[in-house]
Amino acid sequence: MTALPGLVKQRRMTGTVPHRQDIETFAKQLRAGDIVAFPTETVYGLGADATNTDAVLRIYETKGRPRFNPLIVHVADLEMARRYVAFSPLAQMLATAFWPGPLTLVLPAMAGSGLSDIVTAGLDTVGVRVPAHPLALELIRAAGVPLAAPSANPSGRLSPTTAAQVIAGFEGRVPVLDGGPCEAGVESTILSIDGETVTQLRAGALARGDIEAVLGRPVAIAGEGAGIVAPGMMASHYAPNALLRLDAESAEAGEVYLGFGANDGALNLSPSGDLREAARNLFAMLHQLDGTAARIAVAPIPRTGLGEAINDRLQRAAAPRPATGS
Ligand code: TXA
Ligand code: MG
């Protein structure tokens, strides 16, 4: 890619989005096969033209990501998604209910769609989503191509929820479209749809209960009796440098405490015990505490609603190293 050291399009002081011109510049870079980081409602993505194999390979190189881990394809709307994947009535119902939003649907790939094979890592399915962030949607529309984008962090490290974290993670080697802090703070929920079977491959920012409410029946969970697992869902993932101790009621010697609710600490994911707030703060607070102590003790987080995704990310962050995830 063309090196653009430290280039950040700063959010204007007025709180308005970057200039039309900035979006055009980034879109042009994407069309030229460069990679750029952009904001979504979940975390920042490291984007490339999903139809350009060389561009997609730059994502893997930049992240140091294992090749077999497929990437999510970001599109501007359902109509654009139809060029790349086949929608059953069930898939369409879920897309209509939750897009734009933090839901990735793994659906059968359309033959001859032009998507790079590298994006799917050789699978005959594609994970697609329409992000609920105005800058992401503008960027996709301006580029005119679907964007393959994993989280914009070096492989195995914490997902970034601010432009500054992206800059720091890649040491200024990747241009970043700054859209301010991410609203959700954890990645999208991933569902595989196979016939009438809906399986959650990854818990995420869309709570399973919300999906089940639309579906009118339970969603199977990968690894818990459901036959499939998502490739690349390695145990160690989202790892800070510090070691993590989970479900801790208080800090021990040498630990810094990340609180939740009444369990207060150096930082508190949500003093009021709000899981949405905790999800939004999760990666940012782990980033903040990392380096202040050798070990981070984390308060117990309920496993209901968004707590499922929060506990999933914490367990991966606490898993034995080395990390080889995304
Ligand atoms: O919120 C998000 O989803 C963020 C933002 C940037 O959109 N993206 C993200 O991408 O988290 P990534 O690459 O870190 O995670 C993608 C995961 C892979 O680990 C893989 O498990 C699953 O999506 N995946 C992608 N395509 C798949 C497929 N065809 N079949 C099964 N799983 C797939
Ligand atoms: Mg990731």
Side-chain angles (χ1 to χ4, degrees), residues 151 153 159 187 237 326:
S151 48
N153 53 282
S159 296
E187 293 87 343
H237 205 102
S326 61

Side-chain angles (χ1 to χ4, degrees), residues 42 65 69-70 72 74 125 129 150-151 187-188 190 202 230-231 326:
T42 58
R65 181 182 212 177
N69 200 352
I72 293 171
H74 298 69
T125 52
R129 82 180 194 98
S151 48
E187 293 87 343
S188 60
I190 304 181
R202 178 176 76 181
S326 61

Side-chain angles (χ1 to χ4, degrees), residues 113-132:
S113 73
L115 276 191
S116 166
D117 289 340
I118 309 285
V119 169
T120 56
L123 301 171
D124 54 12
T125 52
V126 185
V128 285
R129 82 180 194 98
V130 177

Side-chain angles (χ1 to χ4, degrees), residues 195-245:
E196 291 304 304
T197 306
V198 179
T199 308
Q200 180 174 275
L201 301 183
R202 178 176 76 181
L206 179 63
R208 185 156 49 88
D210 293 353
I211 299 164
E212 291 173 339
V214 164
L215 218 49
R217 57 190 164 91
V219 168
I221 300 177
E224 292 180 13
I228 43 174
V229 288
M233 294 297 280
M234 294 91 160
S236 176
H237 205 102
Y238 311 104
N241 291 313
L243 295 176
L244 292 192
R245 187 167 66 87

Side-chain angles (χ1 to χ4, degrees), residues 4-114:
L4 286 168
L7 171 66
V8 192
K9 294 300 179 188
Q10 284 293 342
R11 192 171 210 204
R12 301 280 186 272
M13 293 306 287
T14 55
T16 57
V17 297
H19 249 231
R20 186 77 246 152
Q21 192 59 41
D22 301 334
I23 303 267
E24 269 312 320
T25 305
F26 279 83
K28 206 183 281 175
Q29 284 179 272
L30 286 165
R31 283 195 299 270
D34 285 339
I35 56 176
V36 308
F38 64 95
T40 80
E41 80 281 33
T42 58
V43 299
Y44 275 75
L46 188 62
D49 175 357
T51 67
N52 179 335
T53 295
D54 287 341
V56 175
L57 282 172
R58 281 188 193 108
I59 293 178
Y60 287 85
E61 285 160 10
T62 305
K63 282 181 66 84
R65 181 182 212 177
R67 290 285 153 90
F68 49 79
N69 200 352
L71 302 175
I72 293 171
V73 173
H74 298 69
V75 291
D77 49 35
L78 180 60
E79 195 191 329
M80 188 174 179
R82 282 186 199 289
R83 291 182 221 156
Y84 305 101
V85 287
F87 283 82
S88 64
L90 179 59
Q92 175 157 337
M93 179 184 76
L94 289 168
T96 306
F98 295 111
W99 283 355
L103 174 65
T104 295
L105 296 174
V106 173
L107 301 172
M110 298 281 272
S113 73

